[in-house]
């Protein structure tokens, strides 16, 4: 006989779980209904949230087509150099949001109180309008005021803020009239005459501009448009979609205007620099012009010879070249001073705007201006709450400092080369001027004055040309931003009705299933025949269903009861187990791991089942530590096994006939001090041998083997051993323990009687045997509804 446990899959049993869930379908249904009700309440009372979207395109000048400046001068005079990443950061800056809010009347928020939730109302739909003096000394930012209309023109104010509520108590206010309360000047105007018929409470609060700008800046989502287009998608979520649409439309316009302002700022800086230079040169030109006019007036007949004209033209050409170098020198001085003073570098004049075509210097200055612009954008964010942004700002400033030093070093070489060119021109001018010494004195003076005049005039004309170029470029500038779509409602983000119902359904199903699985997984009690076969190789002798009757003895129940039939099945299986031809009686030991598993209950009823079949049966109460009550069988004597084993009574005195024919009981007797020693006494073996001769079946109710060793000794003498396992009571570890003893050979010919079984918990369905639950047994019929009993 194989006494080893067959290895089984202890993993997840989906079929087992499905059967248990099906058995408890009503709990699953209740869970689903409760979850769906919860989803309904969430959908019903959640304030709707909407997502509003818009989009803008950032087009580079090269993609826009040639501007007026490009057509006139062959290249873009002022060109932006920022990418989409910088633009997305700029759009979300608090400073730009504040510029947008200044265009909008978002200073006051309006609300209506419903039965459950407080809902914000768009200003255009509010039955009243609140205006206030922003210069008031004490503006109650964030305080929620309740407006209670008394009639068409009169209302009262109240608030949960204690200090403000004291100031408003007992006061009535007129619609459209201004009031000053605690240095706060305000006016509330009722828009419609039926405001008193509005069923809900009307409330308003005044928004702090700084907090409002911060809230919009943090809520605004800016992302690149899919597909690689140079466009940005703006999204904003809120409870009042019309308000959010108004903000997005205004914000896109603000961003567009800001983009044009940034492009024009370079031209404005260039014009300012040129105007300063023109002011200085115009003064010199005016002085020289007066001097030339006076000289010609005094020497009206003086003319310039052909040789003098040749010398003058030669000097004039050199002076024109010198004028350009002098402008460059002025710019270099301006640039050095600007960098050394650390002024706003984003306002620096780019050298190419003044005709300085040094590629290295132009590239360095353009990069410096771009870095400074990025720093300005990053600085507008809250760097204290974001260490990554603070670190990026620190890196950008270090790059600006390093680039400024590089420009200053490069500027030294450029200035040195410019000074060399100036000295060379001055030498050539001096050489040409020396040739003028050959001319008459008056003619020579005239040529010198004319030369100074031409030099100043050339500088003036050059600067005027550059000023005209800058002015045309500024006038021809257009914004790089194109609004692709006005704001529109793209989605309702909350409540997500369908998703909530689906989540509720899944949760309603998952929660009870998870609890059933967890209960089964962490259950350390035997609950099914699969648990028995998983922990032991002992065969199952039979199953005894849960008894709902008040009496646990078959002598008080109908012989057709399900309990009686279960024990008849056990009786038949026992006969198969001990089918050995012998004239001696069979000994059946009934034991358990701990008390309370139905050992005594089963021993009595099994003895009764054997006796009603006409077999001579004796029930021995061998648990002398815990005497049994046998009064239900008509046995009241206390003399029993302990008295006999101790030699204080004869066998005839301890065996008592019951009220059931063919059934005798040998009680446990008085509680002895040494029950284990008494059971090991030779008198116990002699007693069993004698009982084998007088009875057909000897049923022994032993102490629990999980607690005491008494039962193990008796199990060695038995023809068959019955180990009691009670559903949802016996520990699984006890089965493992009895299996170890079975494998070691300490017990033999042992089977398990599964007791107190609720057949609905078994995986193979309802009922056991051929009649349970189908009206065969008398107690089954009594448990049926009246209409089924009538039909039967």
């Amino acid at each position: 006989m194989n006494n080893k446990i067959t290895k089984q899959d202890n993993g997840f049993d989906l079929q087992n779980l499905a059967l248990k869930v099906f058995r408890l379908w009503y709990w699953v249904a209740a869970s689903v209904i409760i979850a769906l009700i919860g989803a309904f309440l969430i959908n019903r009372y959640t304030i709707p949230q909407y997502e509003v979207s818009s989009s803008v395109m950032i087009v580079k000048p090269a993609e826009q087509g040639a501007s007026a400046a490009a057509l006139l001068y062959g290249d873009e005079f002022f060109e932006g150099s920022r990418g989409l990443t910088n633009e997305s950061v700029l759009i979300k800056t608090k400073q730009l949001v504040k510029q947008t809010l200044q265009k909008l009347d978002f200073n006051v928020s309006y609300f209506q109180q419903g039965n459950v939730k407080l809902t914000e109302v768009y200003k255009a739909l509010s039955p009243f309008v609140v205006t206030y003096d922003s210069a008031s000394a004490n503006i109650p930012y964030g305080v929620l005021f309740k407006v209670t209309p008394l009639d068409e023109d009169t209302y009262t104010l109240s608030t949960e803020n204690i200090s403000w509520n004291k100031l408003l108590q007992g006061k009535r206010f007129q619609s459209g009239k201004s009031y000053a309360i605690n240095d706060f000047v305000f006016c509330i105007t009722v828009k419609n005459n039926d405001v008193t018929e509005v069923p809900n409470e009307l409330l308003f609060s005044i928004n702090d501009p700084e907090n409002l700008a911060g809230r919009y800046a943090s809520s605004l989502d800016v992302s690149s448009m899919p597909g690689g287009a140079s466009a940005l998608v703006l999204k904003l979520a809120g409870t009042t979609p019309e308000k959010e649409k108004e903000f997005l439309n205004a914000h896109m316009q603000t961003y567009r205007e800001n983009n044009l302002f940034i492009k024009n700022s370079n031209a404005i800086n260039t014009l300012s620099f040129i105007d300063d230079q023109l002011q200085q040169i115009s003064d010199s030109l005016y002085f020289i012009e007066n001097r030339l006019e006076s000289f010609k007036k005094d020497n009206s007949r003086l003319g310039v010879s052909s040789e003098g004209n040749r010398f003058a033209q030669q000097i004039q050409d050199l002076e024109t070249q010198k004028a350009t170098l002098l402008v460059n020198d002025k710019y270099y001085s301006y640039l050095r001073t600007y960098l050394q003073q650390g002024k706003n570098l984003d306002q620096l004049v780019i050298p190419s705007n003044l005709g300085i075509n040094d590629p290295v210097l132009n590239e360095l200055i353009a990069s410096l201006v771009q870095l400074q612009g990025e720093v300005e954008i990053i600085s507008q964010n809250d760097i204290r709450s974001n260490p990554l942004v603070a670190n990026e700002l620190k890196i950008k400033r270090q790059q600006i400092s390093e680039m400024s030093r590089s420009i200053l070093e490069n500027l030294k070489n450029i200035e040195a080369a410019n000074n060399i060119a100036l000295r060379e021109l001055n030498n050539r001018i001096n050489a040409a001027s020396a040739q003028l010494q050959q001319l008459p004195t008056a003619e020579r003076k005239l040529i010198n004055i004319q030369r100074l005049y031409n030099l100043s005039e050339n500088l003036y004309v050059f600067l005027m040309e550059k000023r005209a170029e800058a002015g045309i470029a500024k006038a021809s500038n257009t914004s790089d931003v194109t609004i692709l779509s006005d704001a529109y409602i793209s989605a309702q983000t909350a409540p997500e009705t369908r998703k909530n119902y689906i989540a509720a359904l899944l949760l309603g199903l998952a929660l009870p299933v998870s609890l059933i699985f967890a209960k089964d997984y962490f259950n350390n009690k035997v609950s099914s025949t699969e648990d028995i076969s998983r922990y032991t190789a002992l065969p199952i002798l039979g199953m005894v269903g849960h008894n709902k009757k008040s009496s646990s003895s078959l002598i008080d129940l109908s012989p057709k009861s399900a309990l009686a039939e279960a024990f008849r099945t056990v009786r038949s299986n026992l006969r198969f187990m001990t089918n050995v031809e012998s004239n001696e009686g069979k000994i059946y030991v009934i034991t358990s791991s701990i008390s309370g598993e139905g050992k005594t209950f089963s021993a009595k009823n099994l003895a009764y089942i054997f006796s009603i079949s006409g077999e001579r049966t004796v029930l021995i109460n061998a648990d002398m530590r815990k005497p049994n009550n046998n009064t239900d069988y008509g046995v009241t004597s206390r003399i029993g096994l302990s008295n006999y084993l101790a030699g204080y009574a004869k066998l005839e005195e301890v065996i008592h006939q019951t009220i059931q024919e063919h059934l005798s009981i040998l009680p446990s007797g008085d509680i002895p001090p040494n029950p284990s020693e008494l059971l090991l006494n030779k008198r116990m073996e002699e007693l069993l041998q004698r009982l084998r001769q007088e009875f057909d079946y000897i049923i022994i109710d032993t102490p629990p083997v999980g607690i005491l060793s008494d039962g193990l000794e008796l199990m060695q003498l038995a023809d068959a051993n019955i180990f009691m396992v009670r559903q949802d009571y016996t520990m699984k570890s006890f089965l493992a323990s009895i299996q170890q003893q079975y494998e070691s050979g300490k017990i033999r010919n042992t089977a398990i009687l599964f007791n107190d079984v609720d057949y609905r918990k078994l995986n193979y369905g309802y009922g056991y045997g051929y009649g349970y639950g189908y009206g065969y047994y008398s107690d089954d019929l009594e448990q049926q509804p009246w209409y089924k009993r009538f039909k039967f």
Side-chain angles (χ1 to χ4, degrees), residues 266 269 334-335 338 344-350 365 368-369:
N266 199 359
N269 295 334
Y334 153 82
L335 179 60
Y338 207 98
N344 295 330
L345 299 178
D346 57 339
Q347 299 179 3
L348 188 63
V349 177
I350 298 176
I365 296 296
L368 184 65
V369 171

Side-chain angles (χ1 to χ4, degrees), residues 359-374:
V360 176
L361 183 62
N362 275 286
E363 183 177 354
L364 287 175
I365 296 296
S367 299
L368 184 65
V369 171
Q370 179 179 351
L371 275 175
Q372 183 61 34
E374 293 175 358

Side-chain angles (χ1 to χ4, degrees), residues 96-116:
L96 195 65
V97 171
K98 286 175 66 176
Q99 294 179 25
T100 301
L101 291 175
Q102 289 173 358
K103 303 176 182 178
L104 303 172
D105 187 14
F106 284 4
N107 296 325
V108 180
S109 296
Y110 302 90
F111 303 91
Q112 281 192 1
Q113 178 66 59
N115 295 329
V116 176

Side-chain angles (χ1 to χ4, degrees), residues 543-547 597 601 725-729 754-758:
M543 289 189 287
V544 179
H546 176 69
N547 182 31
E597 293 177 316
F601 158 78
V725 173
R726 183 177 177 182
Q727 189 181 43
D728 294 330
Y729 187 86
F754 202 14
N755 185 35
D756 196 23
V757 177
D758 183 354

Side-chain angles (χ1 to χ4, degrees), residues 182-226:
N182 195 23
D183 293 332
F184 172 54
V185 180
F186 67 94
C187 174
I188 298 179
T189 304
V190 177
K191 296 197 305 189
N192 50 0
N193 296 329
D194 57 349
V195 68
T196 55
E197 299 179 4
V198 177
N200 299 324
E201 295 181 357
L202 306 175
L203 306 99
F204 73 90
S205 67
I206 298 175
N207 301 311
D208 183 358
E210 289 293 330
N211 294 338
L212 186 64
R215 189 163 68 247
Y216 270 101
S218 60
S219 301
L220 187 61
D221 178 69
V222 182
S223 59
S224 300
M225 182 174 288

Side-chain angles (χ1 to χ4, degrees), residues 148-168:
T148 306
L150 301 178
D151 52 43
E152 297 177 356
D153 297 322
T154 309
Y155 62 90
T156 61
L157 292 176
S158 61
T159 178
E160 294 182 357
N161 185 286
I162 299 175
S163 59
W164 278 96
N165 198 51
K166 289 180 179 179
L167 299 172
L168 298 172

Side-chain angles (χ1 to χ4, degrees), residues 47-52 106 108-112 118-126 207 212 215-216 236-248 487-489 491 493-494:
I47 299 176
Q49 290 270 350
Y50 299 92
E51 183 182 77
V52 178
F106 284 4
V108 180
S109 296
Y110 302 90
F111 303 91
Q112 281 192 1
L118 182 68
T119 306
E120 184 176 357
V121 180
Y122 185 51
K123 176 186 64 175
L125 303 177
S126 174
N207 301 311
L212 186 64
R215 189 163 68 247
Y216 270 101
L236 186 64
T239 58
T240 50
E242 295 301 323
K243 184 177 181 180
E244 316 310 337
K245 286 166 61 177
E246 185 178 358
F247 172 81
L248 269 189
Y488 62 95
I489 301 175
T493 58

